[in-house]
Amino acid sequence: MRLLIAAFAALFVATPAHAEWYRAETNNFVIISEDGEEEVRRFAAELERFDMALRYLQNMPIGEEQPTDATKLTVYRFGDVGDIGRMAGASGVAGFYIPRAGDSVAFSPAREERRRSMTVVDVDRSRNRVARLDAVSVLQHEYVHYFMMQHFPAAYPAWYVEGYAELLATIRFNDDGTFHVGDPPQYRAAQIFQLRQFPLEDMLDQEHELAGYEGYQFYGTGWLLAHYLNFDPTRLAQLNEYLVAIGEGEDSLTAARRIFGDLDQIDRELRQYRDGAFPGYDVTTPGYVEPQPQIRRLTAIEEDLIREEMELRRGVDKDEARGIAGDIRRKAGDPLPSDPHALALLARALYYAEDYDDALATAERLKEVDGNAIMGPLVASWVASERAEDDPAWQERAVRHAADALAIDEHDPRSRIAYYYSYLAAGMEVPENAIIALEQAFDTAGSDPSYRVFLSRQLIFEDRLSDAKAVLQPIAFRGHNQGQRDEDDTEDGPPGLDDIMAEINEGDRDAALTMIDELIDWEPED
């Protein structure tokens, strides 16, 4: 049973030999970018301003720095949309984000091409010829997802998850430190003005399966409805009541009919709203101070290994990891590099390649070279946990290495999760302090769906079903009829989150535990 990691197809990312790479750090972000120093500085400052805006809108403290890089979002910014698409394994991707405990990461292009269209309506509703799903809007959209899951997790319906992210992705910053909320997403104009409106009854029905153009319309109509409900005072009160009702377990469509009233009437109101002037407002942040990113040029070895670093943080399978390990050794020294950064990447690659002997040796070497590099004890603990599945004697070593990682960075949730995992992997009874450690990671790991699955598994085991429901519900409810196993397709995949939630709601602890263990242990044949 291996720790869950996201796996994508490993594809070469072009990084020209002359490219300059900079690392910028702010209170909430680490940006690693292939660009000029001043452009990287500007990008980092604007991204930090976006976080400040979200915090102000949610009445959260502003200006506090995250305690460690592990609790910041790392953004890799390079190439163009084609390069990002190759990294994601899909064409036309203008950016993507992976939530992972202690290792959340996003990828965004440094260069963009402008696209031509006649479908866009500007903020003042005048026509122009520029339409593009720009990288900044994509990144800000994805960051809203991260922000809400980390700080305000709830059973938000899928349309609101996407619609609200679109609403805030277009925040516009003014030179005087204020920001504007409410701009329409220019890149959704074709969906909003040319396609038929997504029927609200279908969109508000969590059981409705998206088909054809509905997945495309879902974003445009979702934004339109979220904008309307948030900017109309009466409807905003209804929206809050609706979200509370869903969180308490009421069916989405039933709650919508009860609270919003005649959905056909709202459909008509939305069409009128679409053809009017979209409202918005400027926000002044008291005591605003311009972010000042700390910036440096990457070292030579960091630049040489940037492709391998990005691929490992994106996620790789066993064969891909083996190839990356070979590339690292070729570039940094065979068999063990002397540079701590190269050693950390190599240890990680070897672990993903399931070459546990070499991974452990590399991790131990990293601990000798740099006692403050957390990847050394982390990989050592992961390897020991895998070995403990067959030999429980390894479990004590897994605990010791996890404790070493915790001593290096007490805020990195991976060390607490590794401590808990050492018992789970070995099939041993998990002691109270390991359970506490797992729960303590929630404050910094709550955006990671895999972590939520592990935590809910422990809560189900303890028969704390209401707590397990609260942890699992935000990720179970987000998919638009996704994650549910078909009754006729029981052998082709693991149980879905909806299936597990159903057993929790029925109060069947044993069935829920069996299903979530099956989900954790499941590995695809391909």
Side-chain angles (χ1 to χ4, degrees):
M1 177 173 56
R2 294 191 59 210
L3 287 172
L4 302 180
I5 60 172
F8 295 84
L11 294 158
F12 181 80
V13 177
T15 53
H18 65 276
E20 292 186 353
W21 287 82
Y22 288 89
R23 183 185 191 275
E25 187 168 355
T26 65
N27 286 348
N28 293 281
F29 300 93
V30 173
I31 294 94
I32 300 175
S33 182
E34 176 201 19
D35 212 332
E37 180 176 355
E38 288 309 309
E39 174 60 21
V40 176
R41 190 185 307 277
R42 181 202 61 77
F43 179 86
E46 289 188 358
L47 196 53
E48 184 64 27
R49 283 192 69 181
F50 185 69
D51 177 87
M52 294 168 66
L54 296 185
R55 290 174 184 274
Y56 184 77
L57 292 174
Q58 298 295 336
N59 198 29
M60 293 176 62
I62 296 173
E64 297 179 357
E65 184 172 6
Q66 290 291 327
T68 174
D69 287 356
T71 56
K72 298 181 180 183
L73 175 65
T74 297
V75 179
Y76 289 96
R77 186 168 171 266
F78 66 97
D80 56 23
V81 171
D83 295 313
I84 299 299
R86 283 186 286 274
M87 175 65 78
S91 62
V93 176
F96 64 100
Y97 149 71
I98 304 170
R100 199 182 289 126
D103 197 28
S104 291
V105 62
F107 298 87
S108 182
R111 300 181 298 276
E112 293 186 88
E113 293 182 0
R114 298 174 72 84
R115 300 176 185 174
R116 296 289 180 180
S117 174
M118 290 296 293
T119 64
V120 175
V121 177
D122 277 336
V123 177
D124 63 0
R125 306 193 63 78
S126 63
R127 299 275 174 173
N128 68 36
R129 296 183 63 84
V130 181
R132 56 178 179 150
L133 180 55
D134 62 285
V136 171
S137 295
V138 171
L139 182 57
Q140 291 183 168
H141 176 108
E142 296 301 326
Y143 188 67
V144 173
H145 290 329
Y146 166 84
F147 189 89
M148 296 305 291
M149 180 61 81
Q150 183 62 51
H151 300 294
F152 301 98
Y156 303 112
W159 72 265
Y160 191 71
V161 169
E162 300 302 339
Y164 189 68
E166 287 290 84
L167 177 63
L168 296 186
T170 61
I171 284 178
R172 172 164 42 88
F173 298 105
N174 303 317
D175 293 338
D176 61 0
T178 63
F179 62 92
H180 184 84
V181 181
D183 285 354
Q186 303 300 308
Y187 44 85
R188 300 293 180 200
Q191 300 163 43
I192 296 169
F193 290 100
Q194 293 186 342
L195 295 181
R196 76 179 182 92
Q197 193 165 286
F198 197 114
L200 287 193
E201 184 129 337
D202 290 341
M203 193 170 71
L204 293 169
D205 182 2
Q206 66 215 51
E207 299 301 322
H208 178 75
E209 295 188 26
L210 299 178
Y213 276 102
E214 288 183 337
Y216 187 58
Q217 295 168 290
F218 195 70
Y219 286 85
T221 305
W223 169 83
L224 187 63
L225 181 58
H227 198 285
Y228 172 58
L229 296 178
N230 274 277
F231 279 90
D232 182 284
T234 301
R235 293 299 190 187
L236 178 58
Q238 293 176 338
L239 171 63
N240 292 332
E241 183 182 354
Y242 165 76
L243 294 176
V244 170
I246 288 178
E248 293 175 348
E250 187 172 356
D251 173 74
S252 174
L253 187 56
T254 302
R257 287 170 172 161
R258 178 176 64 83
I259 296 168
F260 295 132
D262 185 352
L263 298 184
D264 290 336
Q265 175 61 29
I266 295 184
D267 246 330
R268 291 189 290 271
E269 291 174 6
L270 274 186
R271 284 192 289 272
Q272 294 175 352
Y273 189 74
R274 179 193 63 186
D275 295 331
F278 296 125
Y281 54 84
D282 286 325
V283 179
T284 300
T285 307
Y288 169 76
V289 177
E290 184 75 18
Q292 299 296 323
Q294 301 298 310
I295 190 166
R296 68 169 176 84
R297 176 82 182 266
L298 293 193
T299 66
I301 191 65
E302 287 173 332
E303 286 193 357
D304 285 345
L305 296 176
I306 190 64
R307 176 178 66 86
E308 290 77 12
E309 177 182 340
M310 289 192 295
E311 289 181 348
L312 288 171
R313 295 197 66 177
R314 175 205 58 199
V316 294
D317 65 23
K318 182 169 66 174
D319 291 337
E320 295 158 355
R322 187 177 297 114
I324 290 173
D327 291 341
I328 295 171
R329 282 172 162 159
R330 177 176 54 81
K331 292 180 179 181
D334 188 20
L336 286 179
S338 58
D339 179 82
H341 179 72
L343 281 169
L345 294 178
L346 180 58
R348 191 168 182 165
L350 291 168
Y351 171 73
Y352 293 159
E354 299 182 21
D355 188 347
Y356 294 140
D357 287 339
D358 281 356
L360 184 58
T362 305
E364 294 284 8
R365 174 60 177 159
L366 177 57
K367 292 177 69 174
E368 294 174 2
V369 171
D370 185 354
N372 291 319
I374 197 169
M375 195 53 64
L378 272 181
V379 171
S381 181
W382 297 343
V383 170
S385 291
E386 300 302 329
R387 293 277 175 76
E389 290 189 32
D390 299 319
D391 183 358
W394 278 87
Q395 193 271 337
E396 291 186 7
R397 294 177 65 177
V399 169
R400 186 172 68 252
H401 289 304
D404 290 343
L406 184 63
I408 292 172
D409 187 350
E410 64 177 338
H411 300 289
D412 190 328
R414 292 174 295 184
S415 56
R416 300 181 188 276
I417 297 170
Y419 178 44
Y420 171 85
Y421 182 66
S422 68
Y423 291 94
L424 187 66
M428 300 174 63
E429 180 179 352
V430 183
E432 184 67 21
N433 61 346
I435 297 171
I436 292 173
L438 183 70
E439 294 183 0
Q440 286 176 333
F442 187 81
D443 288 343
T444 54
S447 62
D448 183 348
S450 296
Y451 165 75
R452 284 180 175 268
V453 169
F454 272 105
L455 177 57
S456 62
R457 187 265 175 206
Q458 178 60 40
L459 296 171
I460 293 170
F461 179 79
E462 297 177 51
D463 205 16
R464 296 163 56 186
L465 297 186
S466 61
D467 292 335
K469 179 179 178 179
V471 169
L472 204 57
Q473 189 168 253
I475 57 173
F477 203 81
R478 286 194 163 210
H480 204 75
N481 202 33
Q482 295 171 359
Q484 191 168 14
R485 184 164 60 182
D486 215 354
E487 291 182 3
D488 298 328
D489 197 25
T490 57
E491 299 301 322
D492 291 339
L497 296 179
D498 288 347
D499 303 310
I500 298 169
M501 284 294 296
E503 300 298 344
I504 292 175
N505 289 331
E506 289 294 323
D508 193 333
R509 176 260 186 192
D510 292 341
L513 184 62
T514 297
M515 294 176 78
I516 203 164
D517 278 340
E518 184 182 346
L519 173 62
I520 291 173
D521 288 339
W522 182 79
E523 293 183 7
E525 290 185 5
D526 182 1

